[in-house]
Amino acid sequence: KQWYQRRVRGVEGVIFMKEITDHVARSAANQRSEEDIPLKELYVDSLLTFTRLTLQAGKAMFGPDLAKGYTVSGLAIQADPPEGCTPLRNLVTDKIVILFRGACMFAEKVRMVQEAGGAGAVIVDNTEGSSAVIAMSGDGKNNVIIPSVFITKEDGEKLLTVFKRDRFMTILELRESRLQSG
């Protein structure tokens, strides 16, 4: 009889632990889905063509967070080289630099912009048909001090269309999404 009672308590303990484990996993998954990709915005304003766009953007898991009213703005410029994995050849001082995903880590691209004096970075996805903004992962180093965001390829094409029509007067602003609740 004692053996049976211990076995029942053991099974009940296993069931209890399974319930706790499942609860913790569900809670963590819910928290990740809310926190992994808090929406940011890329506001585009062309002074020449009077075009204004607000594009949804993913945050960077490195560098300053665009939260609580913190924004950065400046004239847009496209990186040379476009992927930004080697030192930039063009003058980007105090500008928001547009780069393309691929060939190196996100943080490395932003670090190249930072080293060239850029004020911020916009990384455009290179995946055809991708419609999701992602949170850009870091590389474990804590030496990025400029903000950056990630946008879809489709939104990148919209941004580049405006930029190509108005290369010297397109202003970009990186900011927290005004569409988020709470």
Side-chain angles (χ1 to χ4, degrees):
K1 187 175 181 175
Q2 288 178 343
W3 173 84
Y4 179 75
Q5 288 174 343
R6 279 189 298 231
R7 185 170 180 156
V8 168
R9 277 188 236 132
V11 169
E12 289 172 343
V14 169
I15 292 170
F16 174 74
M17 291 303 293
K18 174 82 169 104
E19 289 173 351
I20 293 295
T21 304
D22 289 346
H23 173 73
V24 169
R26 277 191 310 274
S27 295
N30 289 340
Q31 188 174 14
R32 273 195 305 274
S33 67
E34 293 170 8
E35 291 179 359
D36 277 357
I37 310 177
L39 292 178
K40 303 301 175 191
E41 287 181 347
L42 171 60
Y43 177 71
V44 182
D45 188 0
S46 169
L47 302 178
L48 182 64
T49 63
F50 304 105
T51 303
R52 291 193 170 108
L53 302 171
T54 301
L55 307 172
Q56 292 301 305
K59 72 177 253 173
M61 303 303 282
F62 54 88
D65 190 10
L66 296 167
K68 298 179 182 148
Y70 176 73
T71 64
V72 64
S73 60
L75 290 174
I77 189 164
Q78 194 169 352
D80 178 23
E83 288 178 334
C85 295
T86 57
L88 301 183
R89 295 186 290 255
N90 52 338
L91 184 60
V92 301
T93 305
D94 297 327
K95 295 180 180 171
I96 308 293
V97 181
I98 304 165
L99 307 112
F100 291 94
R101 182 180 189 180
C104 65
M105 295 187 72
F106 295 122
E108 192 175 336
K109 294 172 184 299
V110 178
R111 210 173 281 115
M112 289 294 175
V113 171
Q114 176 178 294
E115 289 172 7
V122 176
I123 299 178
V124 178
D125 197 353
N126 62 355
T127 306
E128 201 66 51
S130 170
S131 62
V133 292
I134 63 169
M136 296 184 293
S137 60
D139 59 5
K141 299 175 185 173
N142 293 322
N143 58 358
V144 174
I145 59 171
I146 64 170
S148 58
V149 296
F150 179 86
I151 61 174
T152 64
K153 185 172 184 173
E154 180 182 335
D155 282 348
E157 289 168 358
K158 292 176 189 174
L159 167 61
L160 290 170
T161 297
V162 172
F163 175 70
K164 287 176 183 173
R165 280 187 274 158
D166 187 3
R167 270 187 202 280
F168 304 105
M169 296 299 284
T170 300
I171 297 174
L172 301 181
E173 180 180 52
L174 311 180
R175 64 187 184 203
E176 186 170 26
S177 177
R178 295 180 181 169
L179 301 176
Q180 288 180 319
S181 60

